Amino acid sequence: MVTLSTEILVIGGGATGAGVAWDAALRGFDVVLVDRRDLAEGTSGRFHGLLHSGGRYAVKDPRAAVECIGENRILRRVAADCIEDTGGLFVTTPFDDPAYADRFAKGCADTDVDCEEISVAEALASEPRLNPEISRAFRVPDGNIDVWKTVWAMAHGTQQRGGRILPYHAVVAVHREGDEVSGARVRDARTGEELDVRARVTVNATGAWAGQIAEQAGIEGVRVLPGRGIMIAMNHRLVNTCVNRCQMPTDGDIIVPIRTVSVIGTTDQHTDDPDDHTVNQAEVDAMLDDGEKLVPGFRKARALRVWTGVRPLFEDAKAGDTDTRDVTRAHALLDHAERDGVGRFFTITGGKLTTFRLMAEETMDAVCQQLGETRPCRTATEPLPGSESGENYVLGERLARKEASLIDEQMICECELVPRSRLEEAITRTSSTNLDDIRRQLRLGMGPCQGGFCIYRATGILHGHDGMSAEQADRSLTEFLQERWKGVWPVLYGDQLRQVRLDDWIFQGVLDVEHLPT
Ligand SMILES: Cc1cc2nc3c(=O)[nH]c(=O)nc-3n(C[C@H](O)[C@H](O)[C@H](O)COP(=O)(O)OP(=O)(O)OC[C@H]3O[C@@H](n4cnc5c(N)ncnc54)[C@H](O)[C@@H]3O)c2cc1C
């Protein structure tokens, strides 16, 4: 069996794990990062897209609010290219307790969240689709963050410093030598081959799965309550600002504009299984009704797809029940030497996407302390690869690029403006034969047609690369279509239903994908 040796083994390639790997690499450590699937395929790739200002937690969870605003300010600099500065609004609709607005303003002041009350007229002028019955409005520095760009930028930065990034490598056993963890055995999900990773320190950054990995190390009682939430992407930017209802956090009270869509979310249901991606129709209907409260006519817009994510909510001593909204959104760092007498092993879980950098910094500070090394954190000042200019992402960038190369560039995905050269570059760079992995990197097939027009073109191009067999290309196509179907069936009404019928004719009627040799 092949054995890799490293200083830091990071288990979990979501935002937190990639953040730990990037932090460790910047401190000069040798790193190996493993994930059982593609990077950011867990909760990070299934989140709402909001770079929190902290406003959402200003009343209910002040510690989380303070962390969010601090990280918001840092990430705008170091992950500039991954962030769109949309700004945020908290508005009091007729469905909200009017008294909450004053508590909100005070909460923001107490937690240092920048917050300015503006007139209703100003709010409606900036967001004309907002409910005209709103009675108060506050501006906060919310934004959106492209998680795939962020996570892959950290992964590439780690690789540039000698780190090894191993997606599709699931940990199947955590190695213990007496009172210490010495690494893990991982299995390549694509070949079935196993390899041992020997490490000075192992960091468990598996979010909602953290309890499972801790158990593999023989540690009981790391309880992470999985809180499942659904989100729905609508096919337009119905708003251009992140719009929140000014009330205690509840279901369906935020609309986040991100890239070409707006996303409403979310619910929060306890589940026992972090891989539970159940979508039930009642939740979808309730979410669309909630959208109406913020943007009247919301239901008439075209819903593109629904997806779920599972929050890693670390259960602290205070949380006695399973109401996941009441468990703190702050994170938990467990030094298992102190907690369980098991050295060289740390768990970092909970928190939010917005706070991944801070979580990584605290983790690597604790690792350095245990190793007796002084290596300061650099992630608050060192820009991610691609963010060196400090310029935030601007909607319309892709269109401007397209217009500049109108004649000579073949367009593969019209909805998300993905030209052939970008697709070919991504196929070569990732060596991936999985169209769904490529989708996450390029947003291929994520627009209104949900792959209807682009994905057979992309399959042909994929097939032309590196002698891939027709069967492999067909399999990638059918897997992609099945993944997309999971998200579209719960919102089949109106124009999207018509679109799906058309896609169905293309794939079943013309291409007969069901009978392709796979
Ligand atoms: C519905 C919803 C909406 C949200 N919206 C927001 C938001 O708008 N803004 C915000 O800041 N936060 C939001 N969050 C919270 C945020 O998404 C999470 O806190 C964050 O993504 C967690 O990242 P992570 O890296 O810790 O976990 P994950 O992204 O889940 O990463 C854990 C990784 O571990 C891997 N793994 C598991 N088992 C193994 C194994 N055996 N071997 C190897 N790898 C393994 C998984 O594949 C996964 O990739 C939301 C969460 C949910 C559920």
PDB file of all heavy atoms in Angstrom, residues 253-284:
ATOM      1  N   ASP A 253     -36.728  33.920   5.022  1.00  0.00           N
ATOM      2  CA  ASP A 253     -36.745  35.364   5.272  1.00  0.00           C
ATOM      3  C   ASP A 253     -35.580  36.112   4.626  1.00  0.00           C
ATOM      4  O   ASP A 253     -35.359  37.277   4.932  1.00  0.00           O
ATOM      5  CB  ASP A 253     -36.806  35.660   6.781  1.00  0.00           C
ATOM      6  CG  ASP A 253     -35.647  35.053   7.543  1.00  0.00           C
ATOM      7  OD1 ASP A 253     -34.858  34.318   6.932  1.00  0.00           O
ATOM      8  OD2 ASP A 253     -35.536  35.314   8.744  1.00  0.00           O
ATOM      9  N   ILE A 254     -34.819  35.450   3.729  1.00  0.00           N
ATOM     10  CA  ILE A 254     -33.733  36.156   3.024  1.00  0.00           C
ATOM     11  C   ILE A 254     -33.775  35.813   1.541  1.00  0.00           C
ATOM     12  O   ILE A 254     -33.949  34.648   1.175  1.00  0.00           O
ATOM     13  CB  ILE A 254     -32.330  35.723   3.487  1.00  0.00           C
ATOM     14  CG1 ILE A 254     -32.201  35.634   4.986  1.00  0.00           C
ATOM     15  CG2 ILE A 254     -31.272  36.658   2.933  1.00  0.00           C
ATOM     16  CD1 ILE A 254     -30.784  35.261   5.415  1.00  0.00           C
ATOM     17  N   ILE A 255     -33.566  36.825   0.716  1.00  0.00           N
ATOM     18  CA  ILE A 255     -33.342  36.584  -0.716  1.00  0.00           C
ATOM     19  C   ILE A 255     -31.939  37.109  -1.047  1.00  0.00           C
ATOM     20  O   ILE A 255     -31.632  38.284  -0.807  1.00  0.00           O
ATOM     21  CB  ILE A 255     -34.384  37.294  -1.594  1.00  0.00           C
ATOM     22  CG1 ILE A 255     -35.802  36.854  -1.202  1.00  0.00           C
ATOM     23  CG2 ILE A 255     -34.126  36.993  -3.076  1.00  0.00           C
ATOM     24  CD1 ILE A 255     -36.911  37.578  -1.963  1.00  0.00           C
ATOM     25  N   VAL A 256     -31.101  36.204  -1.564  1.00  0.00           N
ATOM     26  CA  VAL A 256     -29.719  36.571  -1.904  1.00  0.00           C
ATOM     27  C   VAL A 256     -29.571  36.601  -3.429  1.00  0.00           C
ATOM     28  O   VAL A 256     -29.787  35.580  -4.087  1.00  0.00           O
ATOM     29  CB  VAL A 256     -28.722  35.541  -1.312  1.00  0.00           C
ATOM     30  CG1 VAL A 256     -27.284  35.894  -1.705  1.00  0.00           C
ATOM     31  CG2 VAL A 256     -28.859  35.456   0.196  1.00  0.00           C
ATOM     32  N   PRO A 257     -29.219  37.747  -3.999  1.00  0.00           N
ATOM     33  CA  PRO A 257     -28.910  37.763  -5.429  1.00  0.00           C
ATOM     34  C   PRO A 257     -27.486  37.278  -5.625  1.00  0.00           C
ATOM     35  O   PRO A 257     -26.557  37.787  -4.991  1.00  0.00           O
ATOM     36  CB  PRO A 257     -29.024  39.248  -5.788  1.00  0.00           C
ATOM     37  CG  PRO A 257     -28.693  39.970  -4.516  1.00  0.00           C
ATOM     38  CD  PRO A 257     -29.034  39.064  -3.367  1.00  0.00           C
ATOM     39  N   ILE A 258     -27.300  36.259  -6.433  1.00  0.00           N
ATOM     40  CA  ILE A 258     -25.938  35.754  -6.660  1.00  0.00           C
ATOM     41  C   ILE A 258     -25.816  35.335  -8.112  1.00  0.00           C
ATOM     42  O   ILE A 258     -26.663  34.626  -8.632  1.00  0.00           O
ATOM     43  CB  ILE A 258     -25.563  34.622  -5.676  1.00  0.00           C
ATOM     44  CG1 ILE A 258     -24.131  34.116  -5.937  1.00  0.00           C
ATOM     45  CG2 ILE A 258     -26.547  33.474  -5.655  1.00  0.00           C
ATOM     46  CD1 ILE A 258     -23.485  33.424  -4.753  1.00  0.00           C
ATOM     47  N   ARG A 259     -24.740  35.839  -8.745  1.00  0.00           N
ATOM     48  CA  ARG A 259     -24.562  35.664 -10.181  1.00  0.00           C
ATOM     49  C   ARG A 259     -25.870  36.033 -10.900  1.00  0.00           C
ATOM     50  O   ARG A 259     -26.378  37.095 -10.684  1.00  0.00           O
ATOM     51  CB  ARG A 259     -24.081  34.243 -10.510  1.00  0.00           C
ATOM     52  CG  ARG A 259     -22.711  33.937  -9.887  1.00  0.00           C
ATOM     53  CD  ARG A 259     -21.653  34.918 -10.411  1.00  0.00           C
ATOM     54  NE  ARG A 259     -20.302  34.579  -9.978  1.00  0.00           N
ATOM     55  CZ  ARG A 259     -19.703  35.107  -8.926  1.00  0.00           C
ATOM     56  NH1 ARG A 259     -20.297  35.999  -8.161  1.00  0.00           N
ATOM     57  NH2 ARG A 259     -18.455  34.779  -8.616  1.00  0.00           N
ATOM     58  N   THR A 260     -26.407  35.124 -11.751  1.00  0.00           N
ATOM     59  CA  THR A 260     -27.559  35.528 -12.553  1.00  0.00           C
ATOM     60  C   THR A 260     -28.899  35.239 -11.883  1.00  0.00           C
ATOM     61  O   THR A 260     -29.944  35.481 -12.480  1.00  0.00           O
ATOM     62  CB  THR A 260     -27.527  34.769 -13.887  1.00  0.00           C
ATOM     63  OG1 THR A 260     -27.409  33.375 -13.595  1.00  0.00           O
ATOM     64  CG2 THR A 260     -26.368  35.214 -14.748  1.00  0.00           C
ATOM     65  N   VAL A 261     -28.886  34.692 -10.670  1.00  0.00           N
ATOM     66  CA  VAL A 261     -30.148  34.250 -10.047  1.00  0.00           C
ATOM     67  C   VAL A 261     -30.369  34.941  -8.696  1.00  0.00           C
ATOM     68  O   VAL A 261     -29.497  35.658  -8.201  1.00  0.00           O
ATOM     69  CB  VAL A 261     -30.137  32.716  -9.830  1.00  0.00           C
ATOM     70  CG1 VAL A 261     -29.978  31.978 -11.149  1.00  0.00           C
ATOM     71  CG2 VAL A 261     -29.043  32.301  -8.854  1.00  0.00           C
ATOM     72  N   SER A 262     -31.567  34.728  -8.121  1.00  0.00           N
ATOM     73  CA  SER A 262     -31.752  35.098  -6.721  1.00  0.00           C
ATOM     74  C   SER A 262     -32.195  33.849  -5.977  1.00  0.00           C
ATOM     75  O   SER A 262     -32.966  33.057  -6.506  1.00  0.00           O
ATOM     76  CB  SER A 262     -32.813  36.172  -6.511  1.00  0.00           C
ATOM     77  OG  SER A 262     -33.399  36.584  -7.678  1.00  0.00           O
ATOM     78  N   VAL A 263     -31.699  33.716  -4.764  1.00  0.00           N
ATOM     79  CA  VAL A 263     -31.932  32.490  -4.006  1.00  0.00           C
ATOM     80  C   VAL A 263     -32.693  32.827  -2.733  1.00  0.00           C
ATOM     81  O   VAL A 263     -32.262  33.675  -1.948  1.00  0.00           O
ATOM     82  CB  VAL A 263     -30.593  31.807  -3.643  1.00  0.00           C
ATOM     83  CG1 VAL A 263     -30.849  30.530  -2.852  1.00  0.00           C
ATOM     84  CG2 VAL A 263     -29.788  31.510  -4.895  1.00  0.00           C
ATOM     85  N   ILE A 264     -33.833  32.145  -2.539  1.00  0.00           N
ATOM     86  CA  ILE A 264     -34.567  32.347  -1.286  1.00  0.00           C
ATOM     87  C   ILE A 264     -34.294  31.179  -0.356  1.00  0.00           C
ATOM     88  O   ILE A 264     -34.174  30.042  -0.786  1.00  0.00           O
ATOM     89  CB  ILE A 264     -36.087  32.517  -1.526  1.00  0.00           C
ATOM     90  CG1 ILE A 264     -36.782  32.758  -0.194  1.00  0.00           C
ATOM     91  CG2 ILE A 264     -36.708  31.326  -2.237  1.00  0.00           C
ATOM     92  CD1 ILE A 264     -38.031  33.551  -0.255  1.00  0.00           C
ATOM     93  N   GLY A 265     -34.162  31.474   0.905  1.00  0.00           N
ATOM     94  CA  GLY A 265     -33.967  30.403   1.892  1.00  0.00           C
ATOM     95  C   GLY A 265     -34.213  30.962   3.277  1.00  0.00           C
ATOM     96  O   GLY A 265     -34.461  32.152   3.423  1.00  0.00           O
ATOM     97  N   THR A 266     -34.114  30.149   4.148  1.00  0.00           N
ATOM     98  CA  THR A 266     -33.976  28.715   4.067  1.00  0.00           C
ATOM     99  C   THR A 266     -34.805  28.125   5.179  1.00  0.00           C
ATOM    100  O   THR A 266     -35.274  28.870   6.053  1.00  0.00           O
ATOM    101  CB  THR A 266     -32.483  28.282   4.163  1.00  0.00           C
ATOM    102  OG1 THR A 266     -32.371  26.920   4.546  1.00  0.00           O
ATOM    103  CG2 THR A 266     -31.696  29.112   5.089  1.00  0.00           C
ATOM    104  N   THR A 267     -34.947  26.811   5.203  1.00  0.00           N
ATOM    105  CA  THR A 267     -35.612  26.162   6.332  1.00  0.00           C
ATOM    106  C   THR A 267     -34.544  25.637   7.278  1.00  0.00           C
ATOM    107  O   THR A 267     -33.356  25.739   6.999  1.00  0.00           O
ATOM    108  CB  THR A 267     -36.484  24.992   5.834  1.00  0.00           C
ATOM    109  OG1 THR A 267     -35.704  24.195   4.945  1.00  0.00           O
ATOM    110  CG2 THR A 267     -37.718  25.500   5.112  1.00  0.00           C
ATOM    111  N   ASP A 268     -34.955  25.058   8.379  1.00  0.00           N
ATOM    112  CA  ASP A 268     -34.005  24.478   9.316  1.00  0.00           C
ATOM    113  C   ASP A 268     -34.695  23.340  10.057  1.00  0.00           C
ATOM    114  O   ASP A 268     -35.415  23.555  11.020  1.00  0.00           O
ATOM    115  CB  ASP A 268     -33.506  25.548  10.294  1.00  0.00           C
ATOM    116  CG  ASP A 268     -32.239  25.099  11.004  1.00  0.00           C
ATOM    117  OD1 ASP A 268     -31.905  23.900  10.932  1.00  0.00           O
ATOM    118  OD2 ASP A 268     -31.591  25.952  11.635  1.00  0.00           O
ATOM    119  N   GLN A 269     -34.494  22.139   9.563  1.00  0.00           N
ATOM    120  CA  GLN A 269     -35.152  20.958  10.120  1.00  0.00           C
ATOM    121  C   GLN A 269     -34.105  20.019  10.675  1.00  0.00           C
ATOM    122  O   GLN A 269     -33.127  19.720   9.991  1.00  0.00           O
ATOM    123  CB  GLN A 269     -35.891  20.194   9.002  1.00  0.00           C
ATOM    124  CG  GLN A 269     -36.986  20.963   8.307  1.00  0.00           C
ATOM    125  CD  GLN A 269     -38.221  21.051   9.173  1.00  0.00           C
ATOM    126  OE1 GLN A 269     -38.538  20.102   9.882  1.00  0.00           O
ATOM    127  NE2 GLN A 269     -38.894  22.178   9.131  1.00  0.00           N
ATOM    128  N   HIS A 270     -34.367  19.533  11.885  1.00  0.00           N
ATOM    129  CA  HIS A 270     -33.421  18.550  12.428  1.00  0.00           C
ATOM    130  C   HIS A 270     -33.484  17.266  11.611  1.00  0.00           C
ATOM    131  O   HIS A 270     -34.540  16.841  11.174  1.00  0.00           O
ATOM    132  CB  HIS A 270     -33.759  18.237  13.886  1.00  0.00           C
ATOM    133  CG  HIS A 270     -32.935  17.105  14.409  1.00  0.00           C
ATOM    134  ND1 HIS A 270     -31.582  17.228  14.618  1.00  0.00           N
ATOM    135  CD2 HIS A 270     -33.250  15.820  14.689  1.00  0.00           C
ATOM    136  CE1 HIS A 270     -31.113  16.070  15.038  1.00  0.00           C
ATOM    137  NE2 HIS A 270     -32.095  15.200  15.081  1.00  0.00           N
ATOM    138  N   THR A 271     -32.325  16.684  11.361  1.00  0.00           N
ATOM    139  CA  THR A 271     -32.280  15.375  10.715  1.00  0.00           C
ATOM    140  C   THR A 271     -31.198  14.561  11.422  1.00  0.00           C
ATOM    141  O   THR A 271     -30.306  15.132  12.055  1.00  0.00           O
ATOM    142  CB  THR A 271     -31.964  15.505   9.209  1.00  0.00           C
ATOM    143  OG1 THR A 271     -31.751  14.206   8.678  1.00  0.00           O
ATOM    144  CG2 THR A 271     -30.728  16.340   8.925  1.00  0.00           C
ATOM    145  N   ASP A 272     -31.280  13.244  11.336  1.00  0.00           N
ATOM    146  CA  ASP A 272     -30.244  12.429  11.996  1.00  0.00           C
ATOM    147  C   ASP A 272     -29.089  12.130  11.056  1.00  0.00           C
ATOM    148  O   ASP A 272     -28.042  11.668  11.486  1.00  0.00           O
ATOM    149  CB  ASP A 272     -30.849  11.095  12.474  1.00  0.00           C
ATOM    150  CG  ASP A 272     -31.823  11.346  13.609  1.00  0.00           C
ATOM    151  OD1 ASP A 272     -31.535  12.241  14.434  1.00  0.00           O
ATOM    152  OD2 ASP A 272     -32.870  10.687  13.649  1.00  0.00           O
ATOM    153  N   ASP A 273     -29.297  12.401   9.766  1.00  0.00           N
ATOM    154  CA  ASP A 273     -28.324  11.956   8.769  1.00  0.00           C
ATOM    155  C   ASP A 273     -27.778  13.156   7.989  1.00  0.00           C
ATOM    156  O   ASP A 273     -28.517  13.830   7.280  1.00  0.00           O
ATOM    157  CB  ASP A 273     -29.045  10.982   7.816  1.00  0.00           C
ATOM    158  CG  ASP A 273     -28.142  10.515   6.689  1.00  0.00           C
ATOM    159  OD1 ASP A 273     -26.931  10.809   6.717  1.00  0.00           O
ATOM    160  OD2 ASP A 273     -28.670   9.850   5.774  1.00  0.00           O
ATOM    161  N   PRO A 274     -26.475  13.422   8.087  1.00  0.00           N
ATOM    162  CA  PRO A 274     -25.925  14.575   7.343  1.00  0.00           C
ATOM    163  C   PRO A 274     -26.047  14.426   5.828  1.00  0.00           C
ATOM    164  O   PRO A 274     -25.873  15.398   5.103  1.00  0.00           O
ATOM    165  CB  PRO A 274     -24.461  14.624   7.770  1.00  0.00           C
ATOM    166  CG  PRO A 274     -24.186  13.424   8.582  1.00  0.00           C
ATOM    167  CD  PRO A 274     -25.474  12.735   8.907  1.00  0.00           C
ATOM    168  N   ASP A 275     -26.320  13.204   5.353  1.00  0.00           N
ATOM    169  CA  ASP A 275     -26.496  13.020   3.903  1.00  0.00           C
ATOM    170  C   ASP A 275     -27.966  13.053   3.502  1.00  0.00           C
ATOM    171  O   ASP A 275     -28.311  12.663   2.386  1.00  0.00           O
ATOM    172  CB  ASP A 275     -25.857  11.699   3.461  1.00  0.00           C
ATOM    173  CG  ASP A 275     -24.339  11.807   3.459  1.00  0.00           C
ATOM    174  OD1 ASP A 275     -23.818  12.643   2.715  1.00  0.00           O
ATOM    175  OD2 ASP A 275     -23.682  11.082   4.233  1.00  0.00           O
ATOM    176  N   ASP A 276     -28.807  13.527   4.407  1.00  0.00           N
ATOM    177  CA  ASP A 276     -30.247  13.595   4.115  1.00  0.00           C
ATOM    178  C   ASP A 276     -30.520  14.821   3.227  1.00  0.00           C
ATOM    179  O   ASP A 276     -30.393  15.955   3.677  1.00  0.00           O
ATOM    180  CB  ASP A 276     -31.003  13.710   5.456  1.00  0.00           C
ATOM    181  CG  ASP A 276     -32.492  13.915   5.265  1.00  0.00           C
ATOM    182  OD1 ASP A 276     -32.969  13.882   4.116  1.00  0.00           O
ATOM    183  OD2 ASP A 276     -33.184  14.111   6.288  1.00  0.00           O
ATOM    184  N   HIS A 277     -30.901  14.588   1.984  1.00  0.00           N
ATOM    185  CA  HIS A 277     -31.217  15.708   1.086  1.00  0.00           C
ATOM    186  C   HIS A 277     -32.679  15.683   0.661  1.00  0.00           C
ATOM    187  O   HIS A 277     -33.024  16.081  -0.453  1.00  0.00           O
ATOM    188  CB  HIS A 277     -30.275  15.705  -0.128  1.00  0.00           C
ATOM    189  CG  HIS A 277     -28.864  16.017   0.254  1.00  0.00           C
ATOM    190  ND1 HIS A 277     -28.508  17.226   0.810  1.00  0.00           N
ATOM    191  CD2 HIS A 277     -27.743  15.280   0.215  1.00  0.00           C
ATOM    192  CE1 HIS A 277     -27.212  17.216   1.071  1.00  0.00           C
ATOM    193  NE2 HIS A 277     -26.732  16.050   0.732  1.00  0.00           N
ATOM    194  N   THR A 278     -33.525  15.230   1.577  1.00  0.00           N
ATOM    195  CA  THR A 278     -34.955  15.188   1.282  1.00  0.00           C
ATOM    196  C   THR A 278     -35.488  16.591   0.998  1.00  0.00           C
ATOM    197  O   THR A 278     -35.155  17.540   1.712  1.00  0.00           O
ATOM    198  CB  THR A 278     -35.723  14.660   2.524  1.00  0.00           C
ATOM    199  OG1 THR A 278     -35.030  13.549   3.025  1.00  0.00           O
ATOM    200  CG2 THR A 278     -37.168  14.330   2.203  1.00  0.00           C
ATOM    201  N   VAL A 279     -36.293  16.700  -0.042  1.00  0.00           N
ATOM    202  CA  VAL A 279     -37.016  17.957  -0.275  1.00  0.00           C
ATOM    203  C   VAL A 279     -38.490  17.597  -0.216  1.00  0.00           C
ATOM    204  O   VAL A 279     -38.934  16.714  -0.942  1.00  0.00           O
ATOM    205  CB  VAL A 279     -36.707  18.509  -1.681  1.00  0.00           C
ATOM    206  CG1 VAL A 279     -37.587  19.711  -1.992  1.00  0.00           C
ATOM    207  CG2 VAL A 279     -35.243  18.872  -1.812  1.00  0.00           C
ATOM    208  N   ASN A 280     -39.252  18.235   0.684  1.00  0.00           N
ATOM    209  CA  ASN A 280     -40.680  17.920   0.625  1.00  0.00           C
ATOM    210  C   ASN A 280     -41.460  19.109   0.093  1.00  0.00           C
ATOM    211  O   ASN A 280     -41.096  20.265   0.277  1.00  0.00           O
ATOM    212  CB  ASN A 280     -41.209  17.334   1.945  1.00  0.00           C
ATOM    213  CG  ASN A 280     -41.208  18.339   3.052  1.00  0.00           C
ATOM    214  OD1 ASN A 280     -41.859  19.375   2.930  1.00  0.00           O
ATOM    215  ND2 ASN A 280     -40.478  18.047   4.111  1.00  0.00           N
ATOM    216  N   GLN A 281     -42.537  18.773  -0.598  1.00  0.00           N
ATOM    217  CA  GLN A 281     -43.284  19.773  -1.355  1.00  0.00           C
ATOM    218  C   GLN A 281     -43.836  20.877  -0.449  1.00  0.00           C
ATOM    219  O   GLN A 281     -43.881  22.051  -0.840  1.00  0.00           O
ATOM    220  CB  GLN A 281     -44.418  19.082  -2.117  1.00  0.00           C
ATOM    221  CG  GLN A 281     -44.972  19.879  -3.274  1.00  0.00           C
ATOM    222  CD  GLN A 281     -43.936  20.133  -4.375  1.00  0.00           C
ATOM    223  OE1 GLN A 281     -43.285  19.200  -4.824  1.00  0.00           O
ATOM    224  NE2 GLN A 281     -43.767  21.381  -4.777  1.00  0.00           N
ATOM    225  N   ALA A 282     -44.232  20.497   0.780  1.00  0.00           N
ATOM    226  CA  ALA A 282     -44.815  21.500   1.680  1.00  0.00           C
ATOM    227  C   ALA A 282     -43.784  22.588   1.993  1.00  0.00           C
ATOM    228  O   ALA A 282     -44.104  23.790   2.037  1.00  0.00           O
ATOM    229  CB  ALA A 282     -45.283  20.828   2.965  1.00  0.00           C
ATOM    230  N   GLU A 283     -42.530  22.176   2.167  1.00  0.00           N
ATOM    231  CA  GLU A 283     -41.464  23.152   2.445  1.00  0.00           C
ATOM    232  C   GLU A 283     -41.269  24.092   1.258  1.00  0.00           C
ATOM    233  O   GLU A 283     -41.072  25.294   1.414  1.00  0.00           O
ATOM    234  CB  GLU A 283     -40.137  22.418   2.675  1.00  0.00           C
ATOM    235  CG  GLU A 283     -39.819  22.085   4.100  1.00  0.00           C
ATOM    236  CD  GLU A 283     -38.472  21.357   4.182  1.00  0.00           C
ATOM    237  OE1 GLU A 283     -38.369  20.224   3.687  1.00  0.00           O
ATOM    238  OE2 GLU A 283     -37.530  21.924   4.725  1.00  0.00           O
ATOM    239  N   VAL A 284     -41.317  23.516   0.057  1.00  0.00           N
ATOM    240  CA  VAL A 284     -41.131  24.330  -1.155  1.00  0.00           C
ATOM    241  C   VAL A 284     -42.260  25.352  -1.262  1.00  0.00           C
ATOM    242  O   VAL A 284     -42.031  26.551  -1.503  1.00  0.00           O
ATOM    243  CB  VAL A 284     -41.093  23.425  -2.408  1.00  0.00           C
ATOM    244  CG1 VAL A 284     -41.103  24.252  -3.680  1.00  0.00           C
ATOM    245  CG2 VAL A 284     -39.867  22.527  -2.372  1.00  0.00           C
TER     246      VAL A 284
END
